[in-house]
Amino acid sequence: MTSIAIIGAGLSGLVLAGQLQNSARVTVFEKSRGVGGRMSTRYQDDYSFDHGAQYFTAKTPEFRAFLEPHIATGLVQEWHPRLVTIEHGTMPKELDDTKQFYTAVPRMTSLCKKLSAELDIRQQHEIGAIDRLETAWQLTTTNGKNAGAFDWIVSTAPALQSRRILPDNFRHRRELASTKMAACFTLMLGYARTSAIAWDAAKVVGSPIGWIAVNSTKPGRPIGHSLVVQTTNQWAEAHLESPKDEVTTGLLKDLTELTHQDFSGATYMSLHRWRYASTPSPTGASYLVDVDSQLAACGDWCIKGRVEAAFTSANSLANVLRQELT
Ligand SMILES: Cc1cc2nc3c(=O)[nH]c(=O)nc-3n(C[C@H](O)[C@H](O)[C@H](O)COP(=O)(O)OP(=O)(O)OC[C@H]3O[C@@H](n4cnc5c(N)ncnc54)[C@H](O)[C@@H]3O)c2cc1C
């Protein structure tokens, strides 16, 4: 049976692995301790924070069909936030967004956890090198461990990371190089008492902050009042190397001025820096495949920095690879 190594256990790696597992011997390598990549959740005591993806849409029939069984079991549910736009010096304005917002329950990671259940996943395996042997590709981790030899390699790591690890003869290196991803900071705040804000999520205009969500209003979350504050990509790119304390203090000040609420006294506070959060300049192809070398890459960055795009990219590549394997 053909062997395939998939690098990355975010949604695209897990969807791809799930769709190929009856056609090949599939192994997934993930550098972190858990699965989910940017669909991730931080939780402690009564608080939980989806600090990457906030919600997802399901516009295509393929993604809707994929979600259907998970919606049926309640693992994926709709979130109906009271949504507003806010900017400095004005009152929040109600926003009538007709999109359906979906989230995994009880955490954003829960969907990826479910998808990973039947797969061969090697966590805490950061792939550092892919070398050609006579008849296969040899994988080596960043700490020098031999991770095995495989017929096919697919990277689902963000574009720049895929470019670093895929061999020089991968014919789509130019597309990887031209794909641009952008950063984001997420500030997570937990409070013993509910704040007085009268909305569940806000799109922010004209501020370093781009989005605020009361995470505890999503279905199935623990009761602790949990706020997720995300910066715009432009602001994060400009402040990428700023000390974390400085970023936290600046965001808290801006949050207070925007909402006219007192956000001191958090019983949980943490800042996460995403180096590759969204994709202002995607590849423009649904996936990248080099059949001669048996190398490929996919991920949200091929199409758009969105959960649904990660699915579409992996699903399209799976269709092509299944044909190659037969
Ligand atoms: C702050 C933020 C907010 C967002 N908000 C939304 C939103 O509201 N709605 C929406 O639809 N989308 C949102 N997104 C985007 C969404 O999270 C992504 O589109 C989606 O999760 C991408 O999935 P993926 O599998 O393609 O990539 P990832 O989730 O990035 O998966 C790649 C995986 O590869 C692993 N990896 C990388 N290098 C290696 C290596 N060398 N060896 C082994 N493993 C490796 C990583 O650890 C990671 O787990 C947001 C993202 C961020 C960061």
Side-chain angles (χ1 to χ4, degrees):
M1 209 178 201
T2 304
S3 58
I4 302 185
I6 296 175
I7 300 169
L11 184 71
S12 44
L14 297 172
V15 166
L16 185 66
Q19 301 215 7
L20 295 179
Q21 70 171 339
N22 292 332
S23 317
R25 185 167 56 79
V26 181
T27 311
V28 182
F29 294 94
E30 169 55 51
K31 70 176 180 182
S32 312
R33 272 185 296 148
V35 300
R38 281 172 280 152
M39 289 179 79
S40 53
T41 309
R42 185 87 60 84
Y43 49 96
Q44 187 179 306
D45 304 327
D46 276 344
Y47 303 121
S48 110
F49 308 90
D50 298 322
H51 62 304
Q54 297 297 293
Y55 62 87
F56 48 89
T57 54
K59 295 177 183 164
T60 63
E62 290 82 3
F63 193 43
R64 283 203 293 270
F66 167 79
L67 290 179
E68 213 170 281
H70 305 300
I71 292 174
T73 60
L75 178 69
V76 170
Q77 294 184 23
E78 283 184 38
W79 175 40
H80 300 282
R82 290 171 296 167
L83 189 63
V84 295
T85 50
I86 46 179
E87 66 182 296
H88 284 289
T90 63
M91 294 297 285
K93 282 194 204 83
E94 243 178 71
L95 194 65
D96 191 17
D97 198 325
T98 51
K99 283 196 301 279
Q100 271 166 322
F101 286 19
Y102 289 100
T103 180
V105 178
R107 310 182 181 111
M108 191 53 97
T109 37
S110 304
L111 176 63
C112 289
K113 278 232 168 84
K114 170 77 180 165
L115 298 178
S116 68
E118 312 258 291
L119 300 172
D120 178 4
I121 303 186
R122 313 282 162 90
Q123 289 164 16
Q124 294 184 281
H125 278 65
E126 180 171 4
I127 300 304
I130 303 170
D131 296 300
R132 191 68 205 164
L133 301 175
E134 211 169 296
T135 58
W137 292 107
Q138 165 73 54
L139 288 191
T140 310
T141 63
T142 46
N143 53 15
K145 197 168 145 197
N146 177 346
F150 297 87
D151 300 312
W152 272 89
I153 309 287
V154 184
S155 177
T156 71
L160 187 69
Q161 293 173 322
S162 287
R163 183 161 169 258
R164 278 199 205 115
I165 50 179
L166 283 165
D168 288 345
N169 61 333
F170 180 51
R171 69 190 307 175
H172 296 293
R173 290 188 67 78
R174 208 153 36 93
E175 288 92 324
L176 288 174
S178 68
T179 304
K180 298 277 175 288
M181 297 185 74
C184 177
F185 285 99
T186 303
L187 179 62
M188 293 160 265
L189 298 166
Y191 295 90
R193 277 185 300 145
T194 311
S195 68
I197 45 179
W199 38 263
D200 303 327
K203 292 185 179 176
V204 184
V205 182
S207 158
I209 296 175
W211 168 263
I212 308 165
V214 185
N215 205 78
S216 33
T217 64
K218 293 180 183 175
R221 266 51 179 182
I223 47 159
H225 189 66
S226 312
L227 236 65
V228 169
V229 179
Q230 292 184 326
T231 67
T232 64
N233 299 128
Q234 294 91 317
W235 193 86
E237 285 292 322
H239 296 82
L240 204 54
E241 304 308 333
S242 299
K244 278 190 161 186
D245 285 357
E246 211 173 275
V247 174
T248 302
T249 309
L251 292 180
L252 271 174
K253 184 168 172 284
D254 210 50
L255 181 65
T256 305
E257 287 170 4
L258 273 168
T259 58
H260 308 289
Q261 300 285 324
D262 177 14
F263 284 100
S264 60
T267 45
Y268 180 95
M269 180 154 59
S270 180
L271 183 80
H272 186 85
R273 182 185 66 176
W274 297 96
R275 216 172 248 284
Y276 309 111
S278 70
T279 312
S281 193
T283 310
S286 297
Y287 52 84
L288 302 173
V289 65
D290 180 346
V291 173
D292 295 336
S293 310
Q294 305 202 156
L295 296 168
C298 71
D300 65 334
W301 46 267
C302 284
I303 303 168
K304 191 179 181 182
R306 286 278 169 259
V307 167
E308 185 164 9
F311 168 82
T312 303
S313 177
N315 189 47
S316 315
L317 178 60
N319 290 338
V320 170
L321 291 184
R322 263 200 307 266
Q323 281 184 3
E324 282 302 319
L325 296 170
T326 51

